[in-house]
Amino acid sequence: MILDLDTFLRKERPSWEELARLLDRAESQNSGPATLEEARRLHYLYQRVASDLVKLQTFAGEVPAREHVEQLVARAYSRVHTERKSLGRFAPGKWFFQSVPRSFRSHGKAFALSFCITLLGAFFGAGMVSLRPELKQKLIPAQFSHIYQTPSERVAAEQSAQYDPEGKTVFAALLMSNNIRVTILALALGISFGLFTGIVLFNNGMILGIVCLDYLSDGQGTFLGAWLLPHGSVEIPAILIGGQGGFIIAGVLFGWGTSLGLRQRLARVRSPLLNLIGAAALLLVWAALVEAFLSQYHSPASYPFKIAIGIVQLSALLLWLGWGGRKETSEKF
Amino acid sequence: MSLGETARLHIRTPEGVVFSLPLASPILRGLATFVDLAAMLAMTYLSWWLAHQLSVVILETSNATQILLQFLVWIFYPMITEWLWDGQTLGKRVFGLRVMDERGLALRPGQIILRNLMRTVDSLPLFLYLVGGVAAVVSRRCQRLGDLVAGTIVVRTIHSPQPDVDKLLGQELNPFRSFPHLEARLRQNASPDQARIALEALQRRDHFEPGHRLRLFSALASRFREMVEFPADSTAGMSDEQYVRNIVDTLFRHRTMA
């Protein structure tokens, strides 16, 4: 209780002003205190002003002063209690070679689910079209209208096409932006308890299944491999990783097998989610460049090289995600 | 609920001090989003113009640059502005809003990325933000889905203006000033909400029906009389409204706050 409010305000105001100056400086530099002495002073002022707030909260008419002090305490609290390690510098190498593979493996079940749903979609699409070929035009969206031709016609047209540099760059930009959007959507839709993530993945798988069946049944397996493997070996896993992120969110919402609250469960998966979506975005940028500048180059002489590139990429991907960061196990992801 | 007023998020520090953050209402957030969408649209047109200019210098890049710049603007504009401006985009700056960690701690880059990636779902359908809007309305912390996943909240940073008590009450003599110990007790017993109600009742007194006005000030006066009893000779012949005026004078008028 403050007996003399005016004296109290007069006495404490310099502390508030000093704390505000310290906070302004720290916030403008986006860093912690510069010296140990400054850190001690910040902590002392934080405690002193917090104590002033408790006193002011008992005074009804002191709304402006209370709000001012409350805001100072909130700002100082954020500075004093935030773990600086969590705001530390980002190390790209460590992130890529250790954090991403660990996050991937620690949520392997979500990836398996993502993979299985895509595979199910592929079998469904292939099965439906093999039973009723007329469904191909209904199941494939208009943006893939080139598939309405027979594969032989398409292969002949692609092989005789002239190289178009502007067309390639536009195509790469379109693919990159579109695929990243789809991947982000697959991740974000996990908030629907995974339902719409599953639908996105199933639909992608269905289109893939129809395309593969179409080429294979027309004897164009080599063309398909040379066209699809260089970019697909990276692009399809990237979308599956997006789906994996979606199922991680869904798993958190269901909260099976844990007594933690929703907010705590979400806090635990934030870091893996960021690792996975970052990795997926990088893979998709790479896949778009490969698709535009290599996959779409359809000279029959290049087929073995393109297939080999696809196999090498897929192997590297498996090595990276399967074995990356296995040595250091002390850090939890 | 008025335009800017919603619940407050109360945070208890490890030292046992409780402070609160005023949460931004879904309406204010919607208005800020509208400003941001307009800014992003303007930047998209600017990027198209830049791509066109670039095509004069480097042939065969115009369309690709256009697509890439447009994509980058829509994905990265909110992330970059929130990172550079400590949780604020242009729209949030205009409306005095700020993104914060839901525990009152510093905002991490990862949280910024996650809450903005989740915008893909929150903005459905077609950037109308119905999903995010409904989520924010039903959420106790006014969080859209992106905020929930990223562990963030949006708070108001606009300060409440100090009430102009001099203009409201004039320089009339307050008999309660003769009893500083009772004034101190009143300040101690009255809650901030009760003080605000009394102040707002005086500010809006001309808008009440005469009967309602009498009843309101009667109720307020008796509430404050229960808290502190001033000597009978100082309140003799004083109307309920005048009593409340004196109470507000005691609670809000200060000599040293500048």
Side-chain angles (χ1 to χ4, degrees), chain A residues 95-116:
Chain A
W95 174 78
F96 186 81
F97 290 109
Q98 295 181 17
S99 306
V100 171
R102 284 182 197 167
S103 298
F104 175 81
R105 289 195 301 274
S106 63
H107 296 278
K109 283 181 188 167
F111 182 82
L113 184 59
S114 182
F115 178 76
C116 289

Side-chain angles (χ1 to χ4, degrees), chain A residues 52-75:
Chain A
D52 290 346
L53 175 63
V54 174
K55 289 172 190 161
L56 280 169
Q57 279 167 342
T58 63
F59 278 84
E62 277 316 308
V63 175
R66 183 172 53 81
E67 283 185 348
H68 175 66
V69 171
E70 195 164 39
Q71 210 161 56
L72 277 179
V73 171
R75 286 167 67 196

Side-chain angles (χ1 to χ4, degrees), chain B residues 196-212:
Chain B
R196 276 272 178 218
I197 290 168
L199 179 71
E200 283 186 22
L202 283 179
Q203 285 170 331
R204 293 156 62 183
R205 65 186 187 280
D206 293 334
H207 302 294
F208 298 128
E209 296 283 327
H212 292 159

Side-chain angles (χ1 to χ4, degrees), chain A residues 5-6 13 46 57-63 67 70-71 77-78 81-82 86 176 184 188 263 266 270 274, chain B residues 15 18 20 68 102-104 106 108 110 120 143 148-151 159-160 187-188 190 196 251 254-255 257:
Chain A
L5 188 61
D6 293 337
R13 184 166 287 277
Y46 160 65
Q57 279 167 342
T58 63
F59 278 84
E62 277 316 308
V63 175
E67 283 185 348
E70 195 164 39
Q71 210 161 56
Y77 170 76
S78 149
H81 286 282
T82 300
S86 63
M176 193 158 64
I184 291 172
R263 288 180 199 284
L266 280 167
R270 263 172 220 140
L274 284 164
Chain B
E15 294 85 1
V18 178
S20 64
L68 274 182
E102 65 184 356
R103 294 163 300 167
R108 293 178 181 82
T120 325
Q143 289 172 302
L148 183 72
V149 172
H159 304 282
S160 313
R187 289 195 191 107
Q188 189 190 7
R196 276 272 178 218
L251 293 176
H254 266 292
R255 281 71 63 192
M257 291 298 294

